[in-house]
mmCIF file of all heavy atoms in Angstrom:
data_model
loop_
_atom_site.group_PDB
_atom_site.id
_atom_site.type_symbol
_atom_site.label_atom_id
_atom_site.label_comp_id
_atom_site.label_asym_id
_atom_site.label_seq_id
_atom_site.Cartn_x
_atom_site.Cartn_y
_atom_site.Cartn_z
ATOM 1 N N THR A 20 -29.806 -24.489 16.641
ATOM 2 C CA THR A 20 -30.784 -24.326 17.746
ATOM 3 C C THR A 20 -31.875 -25.322 17.629
ATOM 4 O O THR A 20 -32.473 -25.780 18.646
ATOM 5 C CB THR A 20 -31.286 -22.881 17.732
ATOM 6 O OG1 THR A 20 -31.814 -22.487 16.446
ATOM 7 C CG2 THR A 20 -30.170 -21.911 18.115
ATOM 8 N N ASP A 21 -32.350 -25.578 16.377
ATOM 9 C CA ASP A 21 -33.388 -26.630 16.165
ATOM 10 C C ASP A 21 -32.996 -27.982 16.716
ATOM 11 O O ASP A 21 -33.878 -28.805 17.050
ATOM 12 C CB ASP A 21 -33.790 -26.662 14.695
ATOM 13 C CG ASP A 21 -34.563 -25.500 14.164
ATOM 14 O OD1 ASP A 21 -34.951 -24.679 15.014
ATOM 15 O OD2 ASP A 21 -34.763 -25.400 12.981
ATOM 16 N N ALA A 22 -31.727 -28.282 16.708
ATOM 17 C CA ALA A 22 -31.133 -29.468 17.174
ATOM 18 C C ALA A 22 -30.907 -29.448 18.713
ATOM 19 O O ALA A 22 -30.395 -30.449 19.268
ATOM 20 C CB ALA A 22 -29.854 -29.849 16.441
ATOM 21 N N GLY A 23 -31.308 -28.335 19.341
ATOM 22 C CA GLY A 23 -31.118 -28.268 20.762
ATOM 23 C C GLY A 23 -29.776 -27.812 21.242
ATOM 24 O O GLY A 23 -29.480 -27.955 22.465
ATOM 25 N N ILE A 24 -28.926 -27.316 20.343
ATOM 26 C CA ILE A 24 -27.600 -26.871 20.644
ATOM 27 C C ILE A 24 -27.649 -25.355 21.141
ATOM 28 O O ILE A 24 -28.301 -24.504 20.474
ATOM 29 C CB ILE A 24 -26.628 -26.954 19.486
ATOM 30 C CG1 ILE A 24 -26.471 -28.470 19.039
ATOM 31 C CG2 ILE A 24 -25.244 -26.316 19.774
ATOM 32 C CD1 ILE A 24 -25.685 -28.577 17.834
ATOM 33 N N GLU A 25 -27.005 -25.089 22.232
ATOM 34 C CA GLU A 25 -26.901 -23.692 22.697
ATOM 35 C C GLU A 25 -26.024 -22.877 21.762
ATOM 36 O O GLU A 25 -24.934 -23.340 21.441
ATOM 37 C CB GLU A 25 -26.350 -23.661 24.165
ATOM 38 C CG GLU A 25 -26.314 -22.250 24.674
ATOM 39 C CD GLU A 25 -25.581 -22.216 26.076
ATOM 40 O OE1 GLU A 25 -25.291 -23.187 26.586
ATOM 41 O OE2 GLU A 25 -25.349 -21.124 26.520
ATOM 42 N N VAL A 26 -26.501 -21.729 21.380
ATOM 43 C CA VAL A 26 -25.773 -20.814 20.416
ATOM 44 C C VAL A 26 -25.541 -19.490 20.975
ATOM 45 O O VAL A 26 -26.460 -18.805 21.542
ATOM 46 C CB VAL A 26 -26.475 -20.768 19.023
ATOM 47 C CG1 VAL A 26 -25.668 -19.747 18.161
ATOM 48 C CG2 VAL A 26 -26.650 -22.153 18.417
ATOM 49 N N VAL A 27 -24.247 -18.979 21.039
ATOM 50 C CA VAL A 27 -23.909 -17.579 21.386
ATOM 51 C C VAL A 27 -23.258 -17.015 20.136
ATOM 52 O O VAL A 27 -22.386 -17.511 19.488
ATOM 53 C CB VAL A 27 -22.932 -17.634 22.545
ATOM 54 C CG1 VAL A 27 -22.521 -16.212 22.909
ATOM 55 C CG2 VAL A 27 -23.550 -18.357 23.780
ATOM 56 N N THR A 28 -23.704 -15.781 19.753
ATOM 57 C CA THR A 28 -23.102 -15.084 18.639
ATOM 58 C C THR A 28 -22.576 -13.733 19.018
ATOM 59 O O THR A 28 -23.003 -13.188 20.087
ATOM 60 C CB THR A 28 -24.254 -14.834 17.512
ATOM 61 O OG1 THR A 28 -25.248 -14.039 18.057
ATOM 62 C CG2 THR A 28 -24.805 -16.122 16.966
ATOM 63 N N GLY A 29 -21.662 -13.262 18.261
ATOM 64 C CA GLY A 29 -21.140 -11.837 18.464
ATOM 65 C C GLY A 29 -19.915 -11.802 19.346
ATOM 66 O O GLY A 29 -19.610 -10.665 19.784
ATOM 67 N N VAL A 30 -19.316 -12.929 19.647
ATOM 68 C CA VAL A 30 -18.057 -12.818 20.469
ATOM 69 C C VAL A 30 -16.894 -12.372 19.568
ATOM 70 O O VAL A 30 -16.637 -12.905 18.447
ATOM 71 C CB VAL A 30 -17.788 -14.235 21.048
ATOM 72 C CG1 VAL A 30 -16.358 -14.246 21.693
ATOM 73 C CG2 VAL A 30 -18.884 -14.652 21.981
ATOM 74 N N GLU A 31 -16.236 -11.307 19.959
ATOM 75 C CA GLU A 31 -15.189 -10.636 19.083
ATOM 76 C C GLU A 31 -15.660 -10.404 17.805
ATOM 77 O O GLU A 31 -14.935 -10.555 16.821
ATOM 78 C CB GLU A 31 -13.926 -11.639 19.167
ATOM 79 C CG GLU A 31 -13.297 -11.773 20.471
ATOM 80 C CD GLU A 31 -12.573 -10.519 21.047
ATOM 81 O OE1 GLU A 31 -13.319 -9.731 21.668
ATOM 82 O OE2 GLU A 31 -11.418 -10.355 20.816
ATOM 83 N N GLU A 32 -16.861 -9.918 17.699
ATOM 84 C CA GLU A 32 -17.476 -9.709 16.263
ATOM 85 C C GLU A 32 -16.747 -8.719 15.420
ATOM 86 O O GLU A 32 -16.421 -8.934 14.288
ATOM 87 C CB GLU A 32 -18.921 -9.272 16.375
ATOM 88 C CG GLU A 32 -19.570 -9.082 15.069
ATOM 89 C CD GLU A 32 -21.029 -8.821 15.147
ATOM 90 O OE1 GLU A 32 -21.580 -8.657 16.269
ATOM 91 O OE2 GLU A 32 -21.715 -8.632 14.096
ATOM 92 N N ALA A 33 -16.256 -7.629 16.075
ATOM 93 C CA ALA A 33 -15.516 -6.543 15.234
ATOM 94 C C ALA A 33 -14.272 -7.223 14.644
ATOM 95 O O ALA A 33 -13.942 -6.936 13.463
ATOM 96 C CB ALA A 33 -15.153 -5.407 16.131
ATOM 97 N N ALA A 34 -13.527 -7.996 15.496
ATOM 98 C CA ALA A 34 -12.359 -8.632 14.948
ATOM 99 C C ALA A 34 -12.538 -9.623 13.869
ATOM 100 O O ALA A 34 -11.883 -9.788 12.875
ATOM 101 C CB ALA A 34 -11.522 -9.287 16.105
ATOM 102 N N CYS A 35 -13.697 -10.350 14.097
ATOM 103 C CA CYS A 35 -14.074 -11.407 13.057
ATOM 104 C C CYS A 35 -14.508 -10.696 11.692
ATOM 105 O O CYS A 35 -14.149 -11.161 10.627
ATOM 106 C CB CYS A 35 -15.237 -12.236 13.592
ATOM 107 S SG CYS A 35 -14.714 -13.399 14.873
ATOM 108 N N ARG A 36 -15.168 -9.585 11.808
ATOM 109 C CA ARG A 36 -15.583 -8.850 10.630
ATOM 110 C C ARG A 36 -14.408 -8.210 9.936
ATOM 111 O O ARG A 36 -14.268 -8.274 8.712
ATOM 112 C CB ARG A 36 -16.601 -7.700 10.987
ATOM 113 C CG ARG A 36 -17.929 -8.243 11.416
ATOM 114 C CD ARG A 36 -19.011 -7.112 11.597
ATOM 115 N NE ARG A 36 -19.401 -6.592 10.292
ATOM 116 C CZ ARG A 36 -20.365 -7.136 9.540
ATOM 117 N NH1 ARG A 36 -20.982 -8.270 9.956
ATOM 118 N NH2 ARG A 36 -20.751 -6.552 8.445
ATOM 119 N N ALA A 37 -13.378 -7.702 10.744
ATOM 120 C CA ALA A 37 -12.156 -7.169 10.155
ATOM 121 C C ALA A 37 -11.367 -8.273 9.513
ATOM 122 O O ALA A 37 -10.794 -7.995 8.363
ATOM 123 C CB ALA A 37 -11.361 -6.524 11.265
ATOM 124 N N LEU A 38 -11.341 -9.417 10.009
ATOM 125 C CA LEU A 38 -10.655 -10.630 9.436
ATOM 126 C C LEU A 38 -11.149 -10.852 7.924
ATOM 127 O O LEU A 38 -10.360 -11.127 7.112
ATOM 128 C CB LEU A 38 -10.882 -11.831 10.239
ATOM 129 C CG LEU A 38 -10.392 -13.182 9.740
ATOM 130 C CD1 LEU A 38 -8.844 -13.228 9.709
ATOM 131 C CD2 LEU A 38 -11.002 -14.339 10.521
ATOM 132 N N ASN A 39 -12.463 -10.694 7.774
ATOM 133 C CA ASN A 39 -13.109 -10.994 6.470
ATOM 134 C C ASN A 39 -13.746 -9.829 5.849
ATOM 135 O O ASN A 39 -14.798 -10.018 5.252
ATOM 136 C CB ASN A 39 -14.092 -12.157 6.690
ATOM 137 C CG ASN A 39 -13.391 -13.514 6.694
ATOM 138 O OD1 ASN A 39 -12.696 -13.907 5.816
ATOM 139 N ND2 ASN A 39 -13.619 -14.255 7.738
ATOM 140 N N ALA A 40 -13.081 -8.689 5.935
ATOM 141 C CA ALA A 40 -13.641 -7.451 5.385
ATOM 142 C C ALA A 40 -13.926 -7.567 3.855
ATOM 143 O O ALA A 40 -14.898 -7.138 3.367
ATOM 144 C CB ALA A 40 -12.703 -6.229 5.652
ATOM 145 N N GLY A 41 -12.938 -8.271 3.154
ATOM 146 C CA GLY A 41 -13.126 -8.446 1.736
ATOM 147 C C GLY A 41 -14.327 -9.361 1.399
ATOM 148 O O GLY A 41 -15.080 -9.051 0.479
ATOM 149 N N PHE A 42 -14.498 -10.421 2.171
ATOM 150 C CA PHE A 42 -15.610 -11.318 1.930
ATOM 151 C C PHE A 42 -16.947 -10.654 2.200
ATOM 152 O O PHE A 42 -17.861 -10.779 1.516
ATOM 153 C CB PHE A 42 -15.487 -12.555 2.839
ATOM 154 C CG PHE A 42 -16.603 -13.511 2.758
ATOM 155 C CD1 PHE A 42 -16.802 -14.314 1.693
ATOM 156 C CD2 PHE A 42 -17.488 -13.631 3.826
ATOM 157 C CE1 PHE A 42 -17.826 -15.231 1.595
ATOM 158 C CE2 PHE A 42 -18.565 -14.492 3.784
ATOM 159 C CZ PHE A 42 -18.704 -15.340 2.690
ATOM 160 N N VAL A 43 -17.005 -9.908 3.296
ATOM 161 C CA VAL A 43 -18.265 -9.245 3.657
ATOM 162 C C VAL A 43 -18.590 -8.212 2.576
ATOM 163 O O VAL A 43 -19.760 -8.102 2.113
ATOM 164 C CB VAL A 43 -18.144 -8.475 5.071
ATOM 165 C CG1 VAL A 43 -19.252 -7.629 5.316
ATOM 166 C CG2 VAL A 43 -17.962 -9.479 6.213
ATOM 167 N N TRP A 44 -17.599 -7.419 2.130
ATOM 168 C CA TRP A 44 -17.852 -6.408 1.083
ATOM 169 C C TRP A 44 -18.371 -7.043 -0.252
ATOM 170 O O TRP A 44 -19.263 -6.666 -0.797
ATOM 171 C CB TRP A 44 -16.593 -5.536 0.841
ATOM 172 C CG TRP A 44 -16.812 -4.457 -0.121
ATOM 173 C CD1 TRP A 44 -16.712 -4.422 -1.464
ATOM 174 C CD2 TRP A 44 -17.442 -3.202 0.193
ATOM 175 N NE1 TRP A 44 -17.052 -3.264 -2.033
ATOM 176 C CE2 TRP A 44 -17.499 -2.432 -1.031
ATOM 177 C CE3 TRP A 44 -17.802 -2.483 1.367
ATOM 178 C CZ2 TRP A 44 -17.999 -1.205 -1.156
ATOM 179 C CZ3 TRP A 44 -18.350 -1.202 1.315
ATOM 180 C CH2 TRP A 44 -18.362 -0.570 0.065
ATOM 181 N N ARG A 45 -17.716 -8.167 -0.528
ATOM 182 C CA ARG A 45 -18.086 -8.905 -1.786
ATOM 183 C C ARG A 45 -19.469 -9.380 -1.714
ATOM 184 O O ARG A 45 -20.261 -9.301 -2.654
ATOM 185 C CB ARG A 45 -17.115 -10.030 -1.955
ATOM 186 C CG ARG A 45 -17.436 -10.920 -3.213
ATOM 187 C CD ARG A 45 -16.528 -12.121 -3.265
ATOM 188 N NE ARG A 45 -17.035 -13.146 -4.178
ATOM 189 C CZ ARG A 45 -16.804 -13.121 -5.528
ATOM 190 N NH1 ARG A 45 -15.964 -12.185 -6.044
ATOM 191 N NH2 ARG A 45 -17.329 -14.099 -6.274
ATOM 192 N N MET A 46 -19.895 -9.914 -0.534
ATOM 193 C CA MET A 46 -21.253 -10.412 -0.344
ATOM 194 C C MET A 46 -22.306 -9.317 -0.422
ATOM 195 O O MET A 46 -23.370 -9.571 -1.048
ATOM 196 C CB MET A 46 -21.354 -11.180 0.937
ATOM 197 C CG MET A 46 -20.784 -12.594 0.917
ATOM 198 S SD MET A 46 -21.679 -13.637 -0.250
ATOM 199 C CE MET A 46 -20.514 -14.934 -0.539
ATOM 200 N N VAL A 47 -22.023 -8.225 0.235
ATOM 201 C CA VAL A 47 -22.965 -7.100 0.284
ATOM 202 C C VAL A 47 -23.072 -6.356 -0.977
ATOM 203 O O VAL A 47 -24.188 -5.929 -1.409
ATOM 204 C CB VAL A 47 -22.570 -6.237 1.490
ATOM 205 C CG1 VAL A 47 -23.580 -4.981 1.509
ATOM 206 C CG2 VAL A 47 -22.776 -7.030 2.806
ATOM 207 N N HIS A 48 -21.949 -6.074 -1.743
ATOM 208 C CA HIS A 48 -21.896 -5.233 -2.828
ATOM 209 C C HIS A 48 -21.607 -5.847 -4.156
ATOM 210 O O HIS A 48 -21.528 -5.261 -5.243
ATOM 211 C CB HIS A 48 -20.795 -4.126 -2.580
ATOM 212 C CG HIS A 48 -21.036 -3.279 -1.376
ATOM 213 N ND1 HIS A 48 -21.988 -2.237 -1.444
ATOM 214 C CD2 HIS A 48 -20.661 -3.344 -0.062
ATOM 215 C CE1 HIS A 48 -22.003 -1.711 -0.198
ATOM 216 N NE2 HIS A 48 -21.195 -2.349 0.628
ATOM 217 N N GLN A 49 -21.342 -7.144 -4.155
ATOM 218 C CA GLN A 49 -21.009 -7.856 -5.434
ATOM 219 C C GLN A 49 -19.828 -7.296 -6.073
ATOM 220 O O GLN A 49 -19.740 -7.190 -7.414
ATOM 221 C CB GLN A 49 -22.211 -7.991 -6.354
ATOM 222 C CG GLN A 49 -23.291 -8.915 -5.954
ATOM 223 C CD GLN A 49 -24.140 -8.428 -4.761
ATOM 224 O OE1 GLN A 49 -24.773 -7.301 -4.909
ATOM 225 N NE2 GLN A 49 -24.166 -9.133 -3.654
ATOM 226 N N ARG A 50 -18.838 -6.855 -5.308
ATOM 227 C CA ARG A 50 -17.570 -6.414 -5.809
ATOM 228 C C ARG A 50 -16.503 -6.818 -4.809
ATOM 229 O O ARG A 50 -16.774 -6.926 -3.619
ATOM 230 C CB ARG A 50 -17.562 -4.895 -5.905
ATOM 231 C CG ARG A 50 -18.379 -4.322 -7.190
ATOM 232 C CD ARG A 50 -17.641 -4.627 -8.437
ATOM 233 N NE ARG A 50 -18.441 -3.998 -9.614
ATOM 234 C CZ ARG A 50 -19.561 -4.567 -10.180
ATOM 235 N NH1 ARG A 50 -20.019 -5.687 -9.635
ATOM 236 N NH2 ARG A 50 -20.110 -3.960 -11.167
ATOM 237 N N PRO A 51 -15.242 -6.918 -5.247
ATOM 238 C CA PRO A 51 -14.139 -7.048 -4.255
ATOM 239 C C PRO A 51 -13.911 -5.819 -3.433
ATOM 240 O O PRO A 51 -14.369 -4.732 -3.930
ATOM 241 C CB PRO A 51 -12.944 -7.417 -5.102
ATOM 242 C CG PRO A 51 -13.484 -7.718 -6.457
ATOM 243 C CD PRO A 51 -14.735 -6.978 -6.662
ATOM 244 N N LEU A 52 -13.292 -5.855 -2.358
ATOM 245 C CA LEU A 52 -12.955 -4.702 -1.552
ATOM 246 C C LEU A 52 -11.610 -4.126 -2.175
ATOM 247 O O LEU A 52 -10.716 -4.832 -2.486
ATOM 248 C CB LEU A 52 -12.617 -5.082 -0.143
ATOM 249 C CG LEU A 52 -12.124 -4.001 0.862
ATOM 250 C CD1 LEU A 52 -13.495 -3.261 1.259
ATOM 251 C CD2 LEU A 52 -11.505 -4.552 2.120
ATOM 252 N N GLY A 53 -11.711 -2.884 -2.518
ATOM 253 C CA GLY A 53 -10.587 -2.147 -3.139
ATOM 254 C C GLY A 53 -9.827 -1.406 -2.146
ATOM 255 O O GLY A 53 -10.226 -0.580 -1.284
ATOM 256 N N ILE A 54 -8.398 -1.636 -2.145
ATOM 257 C CA ILE A 54 -7.496 -0.943 -1.208
ATOM 258 C C ILE A 54 -6.450 -0.216 -2.063
ATOM 259 O O ILE A 54 -5.793 -0.765 -2.905
ATOM 260 C CB ILE A 54 -6.699 -1.948 -0.340
ATOM 261 C CG1 ILE A 54 -7.723 -2.852 0.450
ATOM 262 C CG2 ILE A 54 -5.753 -1.289 0.622
ATOM 263 C CD1 ILE A 54 -6.995 -4.000 1.202
ATOM 264 N N LEU A 55 -6.439 1.124 -1.918
ATOM 265 C CA LEU A 55 -5.358 2.019 -2.452
ATOM 266 C C LEU A 55 -4.241 2.089 -1.646
ATOM 267 O O LEU A 55 -4.269 2.548 -0.473
ATOM 268 C CB LEU A 55 -5.966 3.372 -2.862
ATOM 269 C CG LEU A 55 -4.947 4.379 -3.408
ATOM 270 C CD1 LEU A 55 -4.503 3.851 -4.785
ATOM 271 C CD2 LEU A 55 -5.594 5.722 -3.570
ATOM 272 N N LYS A 56 -3.083 1.661 -2.193
ATOM 273 C CA LYS A 56 -1.825 1.732 -1.364
ATOM 274 C C LYS A 56 -0.822 2.562 -2.122
ATOM 275 O O LYS A 56 -0.614 2.396 -3.368
ATOM 276 C CB LYS A 56 -1.263 0.215 -1.153
ATOM 277 C CG LYS A 56 0.173 0.232 -0.651
ATOM 278 C CD LYS A 56 1.125 0.019 -1.770
ATOM 279 C CE LYS A 56 2.561 0.446 -1.402
ATOM 280 N NZ LYS A 56 3.486 0.481 -2.581
ATOM 281 N N TYR A 57 -0.149 3.424 -1.445
ATOM 282 C CA TYR A 57 0.956 4.217 -2.045
ATOM 283 C C TYR A 57 1.973 4.575 -1.000
ATOM 284 O O TYR A 57 1.645 4.630 0.246
ATOM 285 C CB TYR A 57 0.400 5.453 -2.750
ATOM 286 C CG TYR A 57 -0.448 6.266 -1.990
ATOM 287 C CD1 TYR A 57 0.093 7.426 -1.179
ATOM 288 C CD2 TYR A 57 -1.806 6.286 -2.076
ATOM 289 C CE1 TYR A 57 -0.633 8.244 -0.440
ATOM 290 C CE2 TYR A 57 -2.630 7.178 -1.324
ATOM 291 C CZ TYR A 57 -2.013 8.171 -0.502
ATOM 292 O OH TYR A 57 -2.818 8.953 0.224
ATOM 293 N N ALA A 58 3.173 4.801 -1.531
ATOM 294 C CA ALA A 58 4.189 5.362 -0.629
ATOM 295 C C ALA A 58 4.498 6.805 -1.135
ATOM 296 O O ALA A 58 4.577 6.993 -2.303
ATOM 297 C CB ALA A 58 5.491 4.561 -0.739
ATOM 298 N N MET A 59 4.661 7.708 -0.161
ATOM 299 C CA MET A 59 4.880 9.104 -0.595
ATOM 300 C C MET A 59 5.827 9.781 0.405
ATOM 301 O O MET A 59 6.032 9.367 1.643
ATOM 302 C CB MET A 59 3.620 9.888 -0.675
ATOM 303 C CG MET A 59 2.886 10.193 0.620
ATOM 304 S SD MET A 59 1.493 11.271 0.335
ATOM 305 C CE MET A 59 1.042 11.652 2.128
ATOM 306 N N THR A 60 6.460 10.874 -0.023
ATOM 307 C CA THR A 60 7.311 11.674 0.885
ATOM 308 C C THR A 60 6.398 12.563 1.769
ATOM 309 O O THR A 60 5.171 12.645 1.507
ATOM 310 C CB THR A 60 8.187 12.649 0.011
ATOM 311 O OG1 THR A 60 7.361 13.408 -0.813
ATOM 312 C CG2 THR A 60 9.175 11.775 -0.846
ATOM 313 N N LEU A 61 6.988 13.206 2.694
ATOM 314 C CA LEU A 61 6.155 14.045 3.663
ATOM 315 C C LEU A 61 5.495 15.177 2.937
ATOM 316 O O LEU A 61 4.473 15.629 3.385
ATOM 317 C CB LEU A 61 7.080 14.554 4.727
ATOM 318 C CG LEU A 61 6.419 15.215 5.936
ATOM 319 C CD1 LEU A 61 5.495 14.297 6.649
ATOM 320 C CD2 LEU A 61 7.540 15.701 6.915
ATOM 321 N N ASP A 62 6.087 15.632 1.753
ATOM 322 C CA ASP A 62 5.469 16.637 1.039
ATOM 323 C C ASP A 62 4.596 16.087 -0.146
ATOM 324 O O ASP A 62 4.260 16.845 -1.062
ATOM 325 C CB ASP A 62 6.462 17.673 0.453
ATOM 326 C CG ASP A 62 7.586 16.975 -0.385
ATOM 327 O OD1 ASP A 62 7.800 15.801 -0.204
ATOM 328 O OD2 ASP A 62 8.245 17.677 -1.171
ATOM 329 N N GLY A 63 4.202 14.825 0.012
ATOM 330 C CA GLY A 63 3.164 14.366 -0.880
ATOM 331 C C GLY A 63 3.562 13.942 -2.286
ATOM 332 O O GLY A 63 2.758 13.910 -3.217
ATOM 333 N N LYS A 64 4.775 13.498 -2.430
ATOM 334 C CA LYS A 64 5.275 13.071 -3.783
ATOM 335 C C LYS A 64 5.502 11.617 -3.834
ATOM 336 O O LYS A 64 6.080 10.983 -2.822
ATOM 337 C CB LYS A 64 6.602 13.796 -4.159
ATOM 338 C CG LYS A 64 6.544 15.365 -3.936
ATOM 339 C CD LYS A 64 5.531 15.995 -4.786
ATOM 340 C CE LYS A 64 5.700 17.566 -4.637
ATOM 341 N NZ LYS A 64 4.658 18.255 -5.439
ATOM 342 N N ILE A 65 5.145 10.966 -4.913
ATOM 343 C CA ILE A 65 5.366 9.588 -5.094
ATOM 344 C C ILE A 65 6.555 9.258 -6.037
ATOM 345 O O ILE A 65 6.902 8.182 -6.232
ATOM 346 C CB ILE A 65 4.077 8.798 -5.620
ATOM 347 C CG1 ILE A 65 3.698 9.388 -7.017
ATOM 348 C CG2 ILE A 65 2.935 8.921 -4.630
ATOM 349 C CD1 ILE A 65 2.599 8.532 -7.700
ATOM 350 N N ALA A 66 7.168 10.259 -6.569
ATOM 351 C CA ALA A 66 8.345 10.198 -7.375
ATOM 352 C C ALA A 66 8.998 11.593 -7.499
ATOM 353 O O ALA A 66 8.320 12.635 -7.189
ATOM 354 C CB ALA A 66 8.046 9.656 -8.724
ATOM 355 N N THR A 67 10.157 11.706 -8.020
ATOM 356 C CA THR A 67 10.776 13.007 -8.245
ATOM 357 C C THR A 67 10.208 13.558 -9.603
ATOM 358 O O THR A 67 9.489 12.896 -10.285
ATOM 359 C CB THR A 67 12.306 12.864 -8.351
ATOM 360 O OG1 THR A 67 12.588 12.102 -9.582
ATOM 361 C CG2 THR A 67 12.953 12.105 -7.183
#
């Protein structure tokens, strides 16, 4: 803007934030984003 360039911000912001959820979390909290993934049966078992 100081150089006289027109600037628009916030276009598709939610999608852009989702793209870099890990980066945003790391910057704000000084930790990586943790994702817990598991596969289970309908009755909540991950093994027999």
Side-chain angles (χ1 to χ4, degrees):
T20 53
D21 286 352
I24 296 173
E25 181 187 352
V26 174
V27 176
T28 61
V30 173
E31 296 291 86
E32 182 173 2
C35 290
R36 292 186 74 85
L38 172 72
N39 279 306
F42 176 74
V43 172
W44 185 266
R45 177 185 167 87
M46 281 295 161
V47 174
H48 298 278
Q49 286 75 55
R50 285 291 183 279
L52 182 77
I54 303 169
L55 174 63
K56 168 263 157 188
Y57 53 84
M59 71 176 189
T60 58
L61 193 58
D62 55 339
K64 311 298 185 183
I65 61 172
T67 67

